Amino acid sequence: MNAVHAIDVTRAQLFALVRRPAAWTIVAAMIVLNQVFSFVIPYLSYRSADPSGFDAGATPEELLAGTLPAQVVTNTLGGFPVFAGALALALGALVLGSEYGWGTFKTIVTQRPARLSVLAGQMLAVITFIAGTVVMLFAMSIVTSTAIALGEGESAALPSVSHLAEGYVGGTLVLSTWAIIGATLAVVLRSVALPVGLGIVWALGIENLLSAMARTALSALEPLRDVLPGVNAGSLVAALTPERIGSAAPGVAETVSGGRAITTLLAYVVVAAVVAAWCHRRRDVA
């Protein structure tokens, strides 16, 4: 693999990716979900006559405090383990799987650069796009929470720079893991629709079912539960947001330690990339 060629592919892929409406649709969906569930619904519940409907047992003061800038890391990362993660998986599948749907795979692999350079460049482009998306999510959360704070006469103080940086790096790791898993599924299955369907069913359904069974009925499933990507993503978010107010978002739970979660997520990225490289290198162009 040639590093220079991989960087050239990354630049070319980003040039194409930022011009794809489907990619921005996914980003818009992440932003809308984040804004609605982290700010709009809690704030409207706070302003209503019966604020207990959104978070049972929470007082109006707690509902308001949960939307302020001090909680920006918690509110931004809350949906990453499940909903934003599923959308990131769809993005990864979209980038690499489209080459098979468009029939451009043959053209790419029969010309320079080498196959592994192309694959590395595509995956780097996915991670770079994810990193930029996380910046946008944090920026929108800061703007919305600051507007609420100013409107309600509350403190607009943000968390420390180090805490924001930790949240950003952790959030980028979580979404990048899901995106690389989606990209690998697209390479293995040579399509977009099937990886997206399987990935979303896994992220939103199967993982939650296995976790619930391990927690309630079948404790023998705990070792399996503790290595699932969504569980580790939720554990990392929980470790990064100890100051959260009220109930944790779906999928956010301290199942394993933050350090173990980071190691597991990085292992998923490496293993997924190796599997994708093996399939990509050996695939027949016919």
Side-chain angles (χ1 to χ4, degrees):
M1 183 183 72
N2 188 302
V4 175
H5 288 166
I7 293 174
D8 289 340
V9 173
T10 301
R11 294 171 59 187
Q13 188 68 61
L14 284 172
F15 180 84
L17 186 56
V18 297
R19 288 161 176 78
R20 295 186 65 176
W24 291 111
T25 300
I26 291 174
V27 173
M30 289 185 185
I31 292 174
V32 170
L33 287 172
N34 172 253
Q35 293 294 299
V36 169
F37 289 102
S38 295
F39 299 102
V40 176
I41 293 178
Y43 183 69
L44 291 178
S45 184
Y46 157 73
R47 300 288 295 180
S48 71
D50 182 16
S52 63
F54 175 72
D55 190 354
T59 65
E61 292 75 18
E62 289 174 333
L63 287 171
L64 177 61
T67 64
L68 297 179
Q71 291 287 302
V72 72
V73 175
T74 300
N75 286 328
T76 304
L77 299 184
F80 280 27
V82 181
F83 304 110
L87 290 170
L89 185 148
L91 176 67
L94 178 72
V95 173
L96 274 78
S98 296
E99 307 296 350
Y100 299 97
W102 293 336
T104 52
F105 176 74
K106 296 180 183 180
T107 304
I108 292 175
V109 300
T110 54
Q111 300 181 22
R112 291 188 176 183
R115 291 191 183 197
L116 292 185
S117 296
V118 172
L119 181 66
Q122 290 175 322
M123 288 197 166
L124 284 173
V126 170
I127 293 174
T128 302
F129 192 82
I130 288 293
T133 299
V134 177
V135 170
M136 287 186 280
L137 288 167
F138 266 96
M140 288 298 298
S141 293
I142 290 172
V143 169
T144 304
S145 61
T146 300
I148 292 174
L150 295 177
E152 295 294 333
E154 299 287 341
S155 171
L158 290 168
S160 66
V161 174
S162 61
H163 188 34
L164 287 171
E166 289 175 354
Y168 171 75
V169 173
T172 301
L173 174 59
V174 169
L175 293 191
S176 294
T177 301
W178 281 118
I180 295 302
I181 290 174
T184 300
L185 288 173
V187 172
V188 173
L189 299 174
R190 293 185 288 186
S191 67
V192 175
L194 184 57
V196 170
L198 291 176
I200 291 178
V201 168
W202 175 268
L204 300 182
I206 296 176
E207 276 214 14
N208 289 331
L209 178 61
L210 289 174
S211 296
M213 291 175 64
R215 184 172 58 253
T216 57
L218 294 174
S219 59
L221 290 176
E222 289 183 1
L224 173 61
R225 177 203 61 188
D226 292 348
V227 297
L228 297 176
V231 170
N232 283 272
S235 296
L236 177 56
V237 171
L240 291 170
T241 57
E243 77 288 353
R244 64 179 176 271
I245 297 173
S247 302
V252 178
E254 299 176 15
T255 306
V256 299
S257 67
R260 176 174 172 177
I262 291 173
T263 302
T264 303
L265 293 177
L266 288 174
Y268 269 104
V269 172
V270 172
V271 172
V274 170
V275 171
W278 185 84
C279 292
H280 194 70
R281 186 173 183 179
R282 295 178 61 87
R283 179 143 293 152
D284 190 342
V285 299

